[in-house]
Amino acid sequence: MSETDVTPASETPVEPGFTLLFVDDEANILSALKRLFKPFGYRLFTAESGAQGLLIMASEKIDLVISDMRMPEMTGAQFLAKVREKWPEPVRILLTGHAEIADTIDAINNGEIYRYISKPWDDNDIVLVIKHALEKKALEQKHEKLEFGFMTAIRIFSNLIEMREGSMAGHSRRVAELTRAIAQNMGLSKADQQDVLLASLLHDVGKIGLSDTVLKRPVGTLTQAELLELNNHPVRGQAALMAVEQLQGAGKLIRAQLERFDGIGYPDQLAGEAIPLGARILALASDYDSVQFGTLLRNCITQDKAVLHIQHGKGTHYDPAVVAAFLAVLSAQGTATLWESSTNKSNPSPS
């Protein structure tokens, strides 16, 4: 196994720094591939067997691997399947003869190869295949970095929001964890789960402009004017997010977080399934956390009583289907005890 000298070329590669691995038991094939790709400035490794290829994969960051199908001891299909199992990120390409269609199909299924290339190959064709594969990988990497940076910024902003909440610090994070679990239990799509997560982390953004008096007193002790000011925070929250396209879905959920299942909530008096499902989940999760810290009721209550509070609001404040998913999540986590013996009983709302 070896690495070729890397020299600059007039035609620059798609993305400087990409590393390619060629695996073939025929030395002349490896030499031909090295000569073909050396001018593009890639780092190039070669291996004369699948076993040698796996050793290189374990010691180097490989971006793309090209393997011959017909090799002794380990076929290209077997080799690429092992690569996929241990290192799923590199692009996988197979070199195959016309008589190896059945094995090629096996490699496609088990190794999830990006493309297969028939031998003998056309130099221009194989160069274009590699170029397009690396362009796709470069775009995926940039997208992952942007997504990571976006979520990091969201979490930082969420932490800044919570700096004003005193004893409720960590509220948004706890709500986000619970809404994610409920959304998964209810089978929401990945996109809808993402909107629910973002809405949970930012659901209190509209409270930034509220006075300390309103923020630090339980809802049940607020005057009518103060309560009206507080109940407008979802509208302000949505308005703050609508300029960012990736947050518009979350903004709609934030607007509807104070709606009630019976239709007498805020700000639009939506009822039942007219309330976005993500908002129904957010409303329950936020209330469940808030009642335990004394910001919704006059006094803090225990976790078990918080569960009973949610059950008491089933069909009025909360969607019964969301309540059922919430209880299933707690049961799976082993965090609820009192409700298990009280599910079929009528329980008063704790205060």
mmCIF file of all heavy atoms in Angstrom, residues 188-224:
data_model
loop_
_atom_site.group_PDB
_atom_site.id
_atom_site.type_symbol
_atom_site.label_atom_id
_atom_site.label_comp_id
_atom_site.label_asym_id
_atom_site.label_seq_id
_atom_site.Cartn_x
_atom_site.Cartn_y
_atom_site.Cartn_z
ATOM 1 N N LEU A 188 -44.235 11.926 13.844
ATOM 2 C CA LEU A 188 -44.093 13.113 12.997
ATOM 3 C C LEU A 188 -42.910 12.931 12.050
ATOM 4 O O LEU A 188 -41.943 12.246 12.365
ATOM 5 C CB LEU A 188 -43.887 14.371 13.848
ATOM 6 C CG LEU A 188 -45.150 15.123 14.287
ATOM 7 C CD1 LEU A 188 -45.935 14.290 15.295
ATOM 8 C CD2 LEU A 188 -44.790 16.471 14.887
ATOM 9 N N SER A 189 -42.991 13.558 10.890
ATOM 10 C CA SER A 189 -41.902 13.499 9.923
ATOM 11 C C SER A 189 -40.666 14.184 10.491
ATOM 12 O O SER A 189 -40.747 14.965 11.454
ATOM 13 C CB SER A 189 -42.308 14.170 8.618
ATOM 14 O OG SER A 189 -42.448 15.578 8.816
ATOM 15 N N LYS A 190 -39.507 13.924 9.887
ATOM 16 C CA LYS A 190 -38.268 14.556 10.339
ATOM 17 C C LYS A 190 -38.365 16.079 10.264
ATOM 18 O O LYS A 190 -37.903 16.785 11.169
ATOM 19 C CB LYS A 190 -37.090 14.069 9.485
ATOM 20 C CG LYS A 190 -36.752 12.604 9.659
ATOM 21 C CD LYS A 190 -36.215 12.328 11.049
ATOM 22 C CE LYS A 190 -35.764 10.874 11.176
ATOM 23 N NZ LYS A 190 -35.279 10.566 12.547
ATOM 24 N N ALA A 191 -38.985 16.591 9.188
ATOM 25 C CA ALA A 191 -39.118 18.043 9.034
ATOM 26 C C ALA A 191 -40.005 18.617 10.132
ATOM 27 O O ALA A 191 -39.699 19.673 10.706
ATOM 28 C CB ALA A 191 -39.693 18.372 7.659
ATOM 29 N N ASP A 192 -41.119 17.939 10.441
ATOM 30 C CA ASP A 192 -42.015 18.425 11.495
ATOM 31 C C ASP A 192 -41.355 18.322 12.864
ATOM 32 O O ASP A 192 -41.546 19.194 13.727
ATOM 33 C CB ASP A 192 -43.325 17.643 11.478
ATOM 34 C CG ASP A 192 -44.207 18.003 10.286
ATOM 35 O OD1 ASP A 192 -44.003 19.088 9.706
ATOM 36 O OD2 ASP A 192 -45.097 17.202 9.930
ATOM 37 N N GLN A 193 -40.586 17.257 13.075
ATOM 38 C CA GLN A 193 -39.853 17.144 14.338
ATOM 39 C C GLN A 193 -38.862 18.290 14.499
ATOM 40 O O GLN A 193 -38.684 18.821 15.598
ATOM 41 C CB GLN A 193 -39.112 15.804 14.403
ATOM 42 C CG GLN A 193 -40.007 14.597 14.608
ATOM 43 C CD GLN A 193 -39.200 13.318 14.777
ATOM 44 O OE1 GLN A 193 -38.133 13.316 15.382
ATOM 45 N NE2 GLN A 193 -39.712 12.225 14.234
ATOM 46 N N GLN A 194 -38.219 18.665 13.394
ATOM 47 C CA GLN A 194 -37.267 19.782 13.444
ATOM 48 C C GLN A 194 -37.971 21.075 13.799
ATOM 49 O O GLN A 194 -37.469 21.864 14.619
ATOM 50 C CB GLN A 194 -36.551 19.907 12.099
ATOM 51 C CG GLN A 194 -35.544 21.046 12.005
ATOM 52 C CD GLN A 194 -34.237 20.744 12.692
ATOM 53 O OE1 GLN A 194 -34.106 19.747 13.408
ATOM 54 N NE2 GLN A 194 -33.230 21.586 12.467
ATOM 55 N N ASP A 195 -39.136 21.324 13.210
ATOM 56 C CA ASP A 195 -39.900 22.541 13.519
ATOM 57 C C ASP A 195 -40.300 22.569 14.987
ATOM 58 O O ASP A 195 -40.246 23.618 15.648
ATOM 59 C CB ASP A 195 -41.141 22.634 12.635
ATOM 60 C CG ASP A 195 -40.837 23.151 11.241
ATOM 61 O OD1 ASP A 195 -39.739 23.711 11.036
ATOM 62 O OD2 ASP A 195 -41.696 23.008 10.352
ATOM 63 N N VAL A 196 -40.728 21.416 15.518
ATOM 64 C CA VAL A 196 -41.131 21.343 16.927
ATOM 65 C C VAL A 196 -39.932 21.615 17.832
ATOM 66 O O VAL A 196 -40.036 22.331 18.841
ATOM 67 C CB VAL A 196 -41.751 19.969 17.255
ATOM 68 C CG1 VAL A 196 -42.017 19.853 18.757
ATOM 69 C CG2 VAL A 196 -43.049 19.770 16.492
ATOM 70 N N LEU A 197 -38.775 21.054 17.473
ATOM 71 C CA LEU A 197 -37.567 21.280 18.273
ATOM 72 C C LEU A 197 -37.191 22.757 18.284
ATOM 73 O O LEU A 197 -36.917 23.333 19.349
ATOM 74 C CB LEU A 197 -36.418 20.442 17.717
ATOM 75 C CG LEU A 197 -35.048 20.671 18.357
ATOM 76 C CD1 LEU A 197 -35.064 20.243 19.816
ATOM 77 C CD2 LEU A 197 -33.963 19.914 17.597
ATOM 78 N N LEU A 198 -37.169 23.389 17.108
ATOM 79 C CA LEU A 198 -36.822 24.812 17.032
ATOM 80 C C LEU A 198 -37.830 25.664 17.791
ATOM 81 O O LEU A 198 -37.454 26.601 18.508
ATOM 82 C CB LEU A 198 -36.756 25.235 15.565
ATOM 83 C CG LEU A 198 -35.623 24.637 14.727
ATOM 84 C CD1 LEU A 198 -35.802 25.000 13.263
ATOM 85 C CD2 LEU A 198 -34.271 25.119 15.231
ATOM 86 N N ALA A 199 -39.116 25.344 17.629
ATOM 87 C CA ALA A 199 -40.149 26.102 18.342
ATOM 88 C C ALA A 199 -39.983 25.964 19.848
ATOM 89 O O ALA A 199 -40.165 26.935 20.597
ATOM 90 C CB ALA A 199 -41.536 25.626 17.911
ATOM 91 N N SER A 200 -39.626 24.773 20.307
ATOM 92 C CA SER A 200 -39.449 24.548 21.742
ATOM 93 C C SER A 200 -38.289 25.366 22.291
ATOM 94 O O SER A 200 -38.392 25.971 23.370
ATOM 95 C CB SER A 200 -39.202 23.060 22.004
ATOM 96 O OG SER A 200 -40.280 22.277 21.558
ATOM 97 N N LEU A 201 -37.192 25.396 21.560
ATOM 98 C CA LEU A 201 -36.023 26.142 22.026
ATOM 99 C C LEU A 201 -36.266 27.644 22.042
ATOM 100 O O LEU A 201 -35.673 28.372 22.846
ATOM 101 C CB LEU A 201 -34.815 25.824 21.145
ATOM 102 C CG LEU A 201 -34.249 24.409 21.270
ATOM 103 C CD1 LEU A 201 -33.211 24.140 20.177
ATOM 104 C CD2 LEU A 201 -33.619 24.203 22.650
ATOM 105 N N LEU A 202 -37.166 28.119 21.157
ATOM 106 C CA LEU A 202 -37.390 29.562 21.016
ATOM 107 C C LEU A 202 -38.788 29.996 21.424
ATOM 108 O O LEU A 202 -39.173 31.135 21.155
ATOM 109 C CB LEU A 202 -37.144 29.967 19.555
ATOM 110 C CG LEU A 202 -35.743 29.705 19.001
ATOM 111 C CD1 LEU A 202 -35.684 30.016 17.502
ATOM 112 C CD2 LEU A 202 -34.703 30.529 19.756
ATOM 113 N N HIS A 203 -39.556 29.128 22.093
ATOM 114 C CA HIS A 203 -40.974 29.457 22.303
ATOM 115 C C HIS A 203 -41.193 30.651 23.227
ATOM 116 O O HIS A 203 -42.262 31.257 23.213
ATOM 117 C CB HIS A 203 -41.745 28.232 22.822
ATOM 118 C CG HIS A 203 -41.444 27.852 24.249
ATOM 119 N ND1 HIS A 203 -40.318 27.149 24.612
ATOM 120 C CD2 HIS A 203 -42.134 28.068 25.396
ATOM 121 C CE1 HIS A 203 -40.326 26.943 25.916
ATOM 122 N NE2 HIS A 203 -41.424 27.499 26.418
ATOM 123 N N ASP A 204 -40.184 31.029 23.995
ATOM 124 C CA ASP A 204 -40.325 32.188 24.886
ATOM 125 C C ASP A 204 -39.668 33.450 24.329
ATOM 126 O O ASP A 204 -39.505 34.437 25.060
ATOM 127 C CB ASP A 204 -39.724 31.871 26.261
ATOM 128 C CG ASP A 204 -40.655 31.031 27.119
ATOM 129 O OD1 ASP A 204 -41.865 31.000 26.817
ATOM 130 O OD2 ASP A 204 -40.178 30.406 28.082
ATOM 131 N N VAL A 205 -39.311 33.455 23.047
ATOM 132 C CA VAL A 205 -38.614 34.608 22.491
ATOM 133 C C VAL A 205 -39.463 35.873 22.572
ATOM 134 O O VAL A 205 -38.943 36.985 22.734
ATOM 135 C CB VAL A 205 -38.195 34.333 21.026
ATOM 136 C CG1 VAL A 205 -39.388 34.148 20.109
ATOM 137 C CG2 VAL A 205 -37.286 35.445 20.510
ATOM 138 N N GLY A 206 -40.775 35.732 22.505
ATOM 139 C CA GLY A 206 -41.657 36.891 22.578
ATOM 140 C C GLY A 206 -41.738 37.505 23.965
ATOM 141 O O GLY A 206 -42.333 38.588 24.140
ATOM 142 N N LYS A 207 -41.151 36.859 24.962
ATOM 143 C CA LYS A 207 -41.173 37.388 26.335
ATOM 144 C C LYS A 207 -40.019 38.340 26.608
ATOM 145 O O LYS A 207 -39.956 38.934 27.699
ATOM 146 C CB LYS A 207 -41.111 36.232 27.338
ATOM 147 C CG LYS A 207 -42.347 35.341 27.364
ATOM 148 C CD LYS A 207 -42.211 34.252 28.425
ATOM 149 C CE LYS A 207 -43.447 33.384 28.509
ATOM 150 N NZ LYS A 207 -43.319 32.327 29.540
ATOM 151 N N ILE A 208 -39.105 38.468 25.649
ATOM 152 C CA ILE A 208 -37.911 39.278 25.894
ATOM 153 C C ILE A 208 -38.267 40.701 26.316
ATOM 154 O O ILE A 208 -37.616 41.285 27.181
ATOM 155 C CB ILE A 208 -37.013 39.291 24.641
ATOM 156 C CG1 ILE A 208 -36.346 37.931 24.464
ATOM 157 C CG2 ILE A 208 -35.961 40.387 24.727
ATOM 158 C CD1 ILE A 208 -35.458 37.823 23.248
ATOM 159 N N GLY A 209 -39.288 41.280 25.718
ATOM 160 C CA GLY A 209 -39.638 42.661 26.033
ATOM 161 C C GLY A 209 -40.546 42.829 27.227
ATOM 162 O O GLY A 209 -40.922 43.963 27.568
ATOM 163 N N LEU A 210 -40.931 41.732 27.913
ATOM 164 C CA LEU A 210 -41.831 41.840 29.058
ATOM 165 C C LEU A 210 -41.097 42.357 30.289
ATOM 166 O O LEU A 210 -39.897 42.167 30.448
ATOM 167 C CB LEU A 210 -42.456 40.479 29.372
ATOM 168 C CG LEU A 210 -43.369 39.887 28.303
ATOM 169 C CD1 LEU A 210 -43.875 38.517 28.737
ATOM 170 C CD2 LEU A 210 -44.535 40.814 28.004
ATOM 171 N N SER A 211 -41.828 42.983 31.169
ATOM 172 C CA SER A 211 -41.241 43.516 32.400
ATOM 173 C C SER A 211 -40.893 42.372 33.348
ATOM 174 O O SER A 211 -41.458 41.283 33.277
ATOM 175 C CB SER A 211 -42.229 44.461 33.093
ATOM 176 O OG SER A 211 -43.373 43.740 33.529
ATOM 177 N N ASP A 212 -39.964 42.631 34.258
ATOM 178 C CA ASP A 212 -39.597 41.627 35.253
ATOM 179 C C ASP A 212 -40.789 41.256 36.118
ATOM 180 O O ASP A 212 -40.921 40.114 36.567
ATOM 181 C CB ASP A 212 -38.459 42.151 36.134
ATOM 182 C CG ASP A 212 -37.141 42.239 35.381
ATOM 183 O OD1 ASP A 212 -37.031 41.582 34.312
ATOM 184 O OD2 ASP A 212 -36.236 42.944 35.848
ATOM 185 N N THR A 213 -41.668 42.226 36.367
ATOM 186 C CA THR A 213 -42.849 41.970 37.192
ATOM 187 C C THR A 213 -43.713 40.879 36.588
ATOM 188 O O THR A 213 -44.149 39.950 37.268
ATOM 189 C CB THR A 213 -43.690 43.253 37.338
ATOM 190 O OG1 THR A 213 -42.887 44.266 37.937
ATOM 191 C CG2 THR A 213 -44.918 42.995 38.195
ATOM 192 N N VAL A 214 -43.927 40.964 35.297
ATOM 193 C CA VAL A 214 -44.754 39.967 34.615
ATOM 194 C C VAL A 214 -44.038 38.632 34.532
ATOM 195 O O VAL A 214 -44.651 37.572 34.725
ATOM 196 C CB VAL A 214 -45.141 40.466 33.212
ATOM 197 C CG1 VAL A 214 -45.848 39.366 32.422
ATOM 198 C CG2 VAL A 214 -46.020 41.703 33.310
ATOM 199 N N LEU A 215 -42.742 38.664 34.271
ATOM 200 C CA LEU A 215 -42.001 37.419 34.074
ATOM 201 C C LEU A 215 -41.849 36.616 35.350
ATOM 202 O O LEU A 215 -41.878 35.382 35.323
ATOM 203 C CB LEU A 215 -40.614 37.726 33.514
ATOM 204 C CG LEU A 215 -40.513 38.021 32.021
ATOM 205 C CD1 LEU A 215 -39.078 38.379 31.654
ATOM 206 C CD2 LEU A 215 -40.962 36.819 31.200
ATOM 207 N N LYS A 216 -41.694 37.284 36.484
ATOM 208 C CA LYS A 216 -41.310 36.585 37.707
ATOM 209 C C LYS A 216 -42.481 36.232 38.607
ATOM 210 O O LYS A 216 -42.273 35.623 39.663
ATOM 211 C CB LYS A 216 -40.286 37.436 38.478
ATOM 212 C CG LYS A 216 -38.962 37.581 37.726
ATOM 213 C CD LYS A 216 -37.945 38.381 38.501
ATOM 214 C CE LYS A 216 -36.628 38.482 37.739
ATOM 215 N NZ LYS A 216 -35.596 39.252 38.471
ATOM 216 N N ARG A 217 -43.701 36.584 38.188
ATOM 217 C CA ARG A 217 -44.874 36.226 38.999
ATOM 218 C C ARG A 217 -45.649 35.102 38.335
ATOM 219 O O ARG A 217 -45.724 35.033 37.104
ATOM 220 C CB ARG A 217 -45.780 37.445 39.184
ATOM 221 C CG ARG A 217 -45.228 38.459 40.187
ATOM 222 C CD ARG A 217 -45.976 39.760 40.127
ATOM 223 N NE ARG A 217 -47.415 39.578 40.173
ATOM 224 C CZ ARG A 217 -48.298 40.526 39.846
ATOM 225 N NH1 ARG A 217 -47.861 41.694 39.404
ATOM 226 N NH2 ARG A 217 -49.584 40.313 39.936
ATOM 227 N N PRO A 218 -46.234 34.190 39.136
ATOM 228 C CA PRO A 218 -47.070 33.130 38.562
ATOM 229 C C PRO A 218 -48.221 33.719 37.762
ATOM 230 O O PRO A 218 -48.739 34.797 38.087
ATOM 231 C CB PRO A 218 -47.584 32.383 39.796
ATOM 232 C CG PRO A 218 -46.590 32.683 40.877
ATOM 233 C CD PRO A 218 -46.116 34.085 40.604
ATOM 234 N N VAL A 219 -48.615 33.018 36.720
ATOM 235 C CA VAL A 219 -49.685 33.513 35.851
ATOM 236 C C VAL A 219 -50.958 33.801 36.644
ATOM 237 O O VAL A 219 -51.655 34.795 36.395
ATOM 238 C CB VAL A 219 -49.963 32.484 34.733
ATOM 239 C CG1 VAL A 219 -51.181 32.895 33.913
ATOM 240 C CG2 VAL A 219 -48.746 32.331 33.840
ATOM 241 N N GLY A 220 -51.248 32.954 37.615
ATOM 242 C CA GLY A 220 -52.486 33.109 38.390
ATOM 243 C C GLY A 220 -52.532 34.344 39.258
ATOM 244 O O GLY A 220 -53.599 34.693 39.781
ATOM 245 N N THR A 221 -51.396 35.046 39.421
ATOM 246 C CA THR A 221 -51.372 36.248 40.268
ATOM 247 C C THR A 221 -51.335 37.531 39.447
ATOM 248 O O THR A 221 -51.302 38.622 40.022
ATOM 249 C CB THR A 221 -50.144 36.216 41.195
ATOM 250 O OG1 THR A 221 -48.951 36.335 40.413
ATOM 251 C CG2 THR A 221 -50.097 34.919 41.998
ATOM 252 N N LEU A 222 -51.330 37.430 38.114
ATOM 253 C CA LEU A 222 -51.233 38.611 37.268
ATOM 254 C C LEU A 222 -52.560 39.349 37.180
ATOM 255 O O LEU A 222 -53.634 38.750 37.243
ATOM 256 C CB LEU A 222 -50.780 38.215 35.858
ATOM 257 C CG LEU A 222 -49.396 37.567 35.728
ATOM 258 C CD1 LEU A 222 -49.129 37.180 34.286
ATOM 259 C CD2 LEU A 222 -48.302 38.500 36.251
ATOM 260 N N THR A 223 -52.472 40.669 36.999
ATOM 261 C CA THR A 223 -53.680 41.451 36.755
ATOM 262 C C THR A 223 -54.171 41.179 35.331
ATOM 263 O O THR A 223 -53.480 40.569 34.518
ATOM 264 C CB THR A 223 -53.394 42.949 36.908
ATOM 265 O OG1 THR A 223 -52.479 43.355 35.850
ATOM 266 C CG2 THR A 223 -52.763 43.265 38.259
ATOM 267 N N GLN A 224 -55.386 41.660 35.034
ATOM 268 C CA GLN A 224 -55.940 41.439 33.701
ATOM 269 C C GLN A 224 -55.046 42.062 32.623
ATOM 270 O O GLN A 224 -54.804 41.460 31.572
ATOM 271 C CB GLN A 224 -57.355 42.030 33.619
ATOM 272 C CG GLN A 224 -58.129 41.628 32.377
ATOM 273 C CD GLN A 224 -58.459 40.147 32.352
ATOM 274 O OE1 GLN A 224 -58.618 39.521 33.411
ATOM 275 N NE2 GLN A 224 -58.569 39.577 31.167
#
